[in-house]
Amino acid sequence: MSLRDIERVSLTRLNEYYGDALRLVKLIFEQAFVAELSGRNRRVQSLLIDMESTFERVVYRAVKTVVDTEYYDVRNDSIGYLTRSESEEGLLSMYPDFWIRNRTEDVVLVGDAKWKTGTDPSRNDFYQIAAYQAKHGTPGVLVYPDVDGAMRDTYTYATGSGTDAGRGKLRSIEIETGDGASYDQFVQTVEAAIRNNLPESLVKAEALL
């Protein structure tokens, strides 16, 4: 078997679950080294480590650290159901990676962290955060790993009547995930990125100094 044989394999809906295995085999044939775990090369990272869940946890903890918890509550549990049946049974519970509510329990922001190996937000990223925002009519944030600003932007929702359908704006931000001198430095970098991209009204006063 050769690298060319691997590249000729075509995945379909029936065998797409072999995708990760094929990517790993391809890396082996390419003689990729574990050194690729460093920096921004995410091909090996995503295969050896559950980077999606890890990134989500890192972002949630950073948000919880920088938000002023005297006035706001940061959560990552369900914000409610997407739909209800005629019998009032809730269906499809929704779980943003983080959401923030004030002391009167109004949701003021929802966010989702997306570990990506490419440089384009996916259709599903937008559909998912749009559903979260619509639930409580709030602004939203999509958090991505750093790709030199390729996914950093601000969006408004377009409808036939030209309104945002009750949602606030959607921002996509990036967090530096490259090498750091220490774990503490990495944590500080992540927290700084979150702090600089959340509304100032949500952030601890001392964190703004």
Side-chain angles (χ1 to χ4, degrees), residues 18-196:
Y18 287 115
D20 284 345
L22 280 172
R23 284 190 288 274
L24 180 57
V25 170
K26 184 177 179 182
L27 289 172
I28 293 172
F29 272 93
E30 290 175 342
Q31 299 182 18
F33 297 99
V34 176
E36 290 194 18
L37 279 168
S38 64
R40 297 176 185 170
N41 193 323
R42 302 188 181 104
R43 294 189 303 163
V44 180
Q45 289 175 323
S46 296
L47 287 172
L48 300 183
I49 304 171
D50 183 0
M51 290 304 301
E52 290 81 5
S53 296
T54 300
F55 188 61
E56 290 166 5
R57 289 194 296 269
V58 167
V59 170
Y60 171 68
R61 290 174 183 173
V63 173
K64 200 170 180 66
T65 297
V66 304
V67 165
D68 190 344
T69 52
E70 182 178 353
Y71 300 100
Y72 298 98
D73 184 23
V74 180
R75 306 174 66 98
N76 63 352
D77 54 352
S78 173
I79 58 170
Y81 295 105
L82 179 62
T83 62
R84 286 191 179 276
S85 65
E86 290 185 354
S87 61
E88 291 300 311
E89 179 183 1
L91 301 172
L92 302 176
S93 188
M94 296 187 290
Y95 290 88
D97 291 324
F98 65 90
W99 54 282
I100 303 171
R101 68 181 183 184
N102 59 24
R103 288 308 182 198
T104 58
E105 299 193 354
D106 298 315
V107 178
V108 297
L109 185 77
V110 293
D112 233 24
K114 301 293 186 183
W115 179 260
K116 296 288 184 180
T117 57
T119 58
D120 295 310
S122 73
R123 183 186 300 266
N124 285 340
D125 293 350
F126 285 110
Y127 284 166
Q128 194 171 24
I129 193 70
Y132 297 155
Q133 288 183 256
K135 178 67 178 178
H136 293 282
T138 64
V141 179
L142 283 170
V143 184
Y144 295 102
D146 181 28
V147 285
D148 294 326
M151 289 195 282
R152 193 178 300 130
D153 214 330
T154 301
Y155 306 91
T156 54
Y157 289 95
T159 68
S161 58
T163 69
D164 59 9
R167 306 177 185 93
K169 288 185 177 181
L170 170 63
R171 296 190 65 196
S172 59
I173 67 174
E174 296 178 11
I175 290 182
E176 175 61 53
T177 56
D179 296 332
S182 67
Y183 174 75
D184 289 340
Q185 181 179 337
F186 171 70
V187 170
Q188 291 172 8
T189 300
V190 173
E191 290 177 358
I194 293 294
R195 180 169 57 249
N196 293 335

Side-chain angles (χ1 to χ4, degrees), residues 193-209:
I194 293 294
R195 180 169 57 249
N196 293 335
N197 285 282
L198 289 182
E200 287 190 8
S201 59
L202 302 180
V203 178
K204 293 177 182 176
E206 62 268 24
L208 294 172
L209 299 178

